[in-house]
Amino acid sequence: MTRTILLVDDHPIVRAGCQRLLAEAALGRVVEAEDVGSALDRWRAERPDVVILDLNIPGEGGGMAVLRAIQAESPAVPVLIFSMHEDPAIAARTLKAGARGYVTKNDAPDSLASAIGTVLAGRIHLDNGLARELALMTLTPTADPLAGLTQREREILGLVGRGLTTAAIADRLGISQKTVANACTQIKDKLGADSARALIRIAIDSGLAD
């Protein structure tokens, strides 16, 4: 019986590359979607055996909304996150939400096909480096780390924690990318964060990314 794979990504070049890789691996028939709405429509129409899901797709809630919907309707179907984000905090958040694996777009090309095989076999897929970081990652709670942030800064921090890009945040909030970038700089200064990765962890730890 031929398997069906649902590939959800908003970049046509990425989808085309994945199509070639999966065709070479002969893993099954691949159907595509590019945003939250089309992903859920395709999911319900095709009932695929496995879903490859980018987090940063257009639509309310992005890829996490798709993951949660699939988990609510068919938790046994494996969802493999395919993301540009390498932060273990984001990977941990998706696994907690029900994803069965996490592959970054910087991984070796054959890692995607290998990951699909792993999750279809009922196992969790993480590369060794990411698994080690997850195991070593410690979260240190603070009393009220966000006390100095404005409501708008909290909102932007929450979207950063969900993995949205500067452009996606600007589009979501109806503001310029420069305004978002400046706000992120101010947030870093207020929280003593030295990178976007640190902001993501703070957002997740504080519950703003949920």
Side-chain angles (χ1 to χ4, degrees):
M1 182 177 177
T2 302
R3 293 192 182 98
T4 298
I5 301 167
L6 173 58
L7 171 63
V8 185
D9 196 291
D10 62 331
H11 293 93
I13 291 177
V14 172
R15 295 199 305 271
C18 290
Q19 284 274 13
R20 287 194 297 272
L21 285 171
L22 299 177
E24 291 172 2
L27 289 173
R29 181 176 70 101
V30 180
V31 295
E32 299 181 0
E34 61 183 14
D35 55 30
V36 172
S38 63
L40 294 177
D41 287 345
R42 276 290 184 133
W43 155 254
R44 291 170 180 135
E46 299 283 350
R47 293 298 174 182
D49 299 283
V50 62
V51 179
I52 303 170
L53 177 64
D54 183 20
L55 293 176
N56 195 37
I57 56 173
E60 184 65 31
M64 288 299 295
V66 176
L67 172 59
R68 291 186 177 114
I70 292 173
Q71 279 294 296
E73 294 181 28
S74 245
V77 174
V79 177
L80 178 65
I81 303 301
F82 186 49
S83 175
M84 66 178 182
H85 298 290
E86 299 184 22
D87 194 300
I90 294 180
R93 179 170 170 250
T94 63
L95 294 173
K96 184 177 180 180
R100 302 290 182 84
Y102 195 97
V103 176
T104 76
K105 294 179 180 179
N106 289 325
D107 289 346
D110 61 352
S111 63
L112 182 59
S114 174
I116 291 171
T118 298
V119 299
L120 282 171
R123 302 189 302 273
I124 299 293
H125 173 85
L126 292 170
D127 70 38
N128 292 335
L130 185 57
R132 184 168 55 252
E133 287 194 66
L134 281 173
L136 296 175
M137 185 173 62
T138 57
L139 306 177
T140 306
T142 56
D144 187 9
L146 309 182
L149 299 187
T150 66
Q151 184 57 40
R152 173 61 66 148
E153 287 170 344
R154 286 172 178 261
E155 191 173 13
I156 290 173
L157 179 59
L159 295 174
V160 170
R162 294 183 193 177
L164 271 68
T165 62
T166 298
I169 294 172
D171 183 63
R172 176 75 64 86
L173 299 179
I175 57 180
S176 71
Q177 292 187 42
K178 183 176 180 180
T179 298
V180 175
N182 289 341
C184 286
T185 298
Q186 292 174 349
I187 295 168
K188 287 178 187 177
D189 290 341
K190 288 182 179 182
L191 300 181
D194 60 1
S195 65
R197 179 169 176 167
L199 289 184
I200 290 169
R201 289 190 177 182
I202 292 169
I204 293 172
D205 295 349
S206 303
L208 290 181
D210 293 338

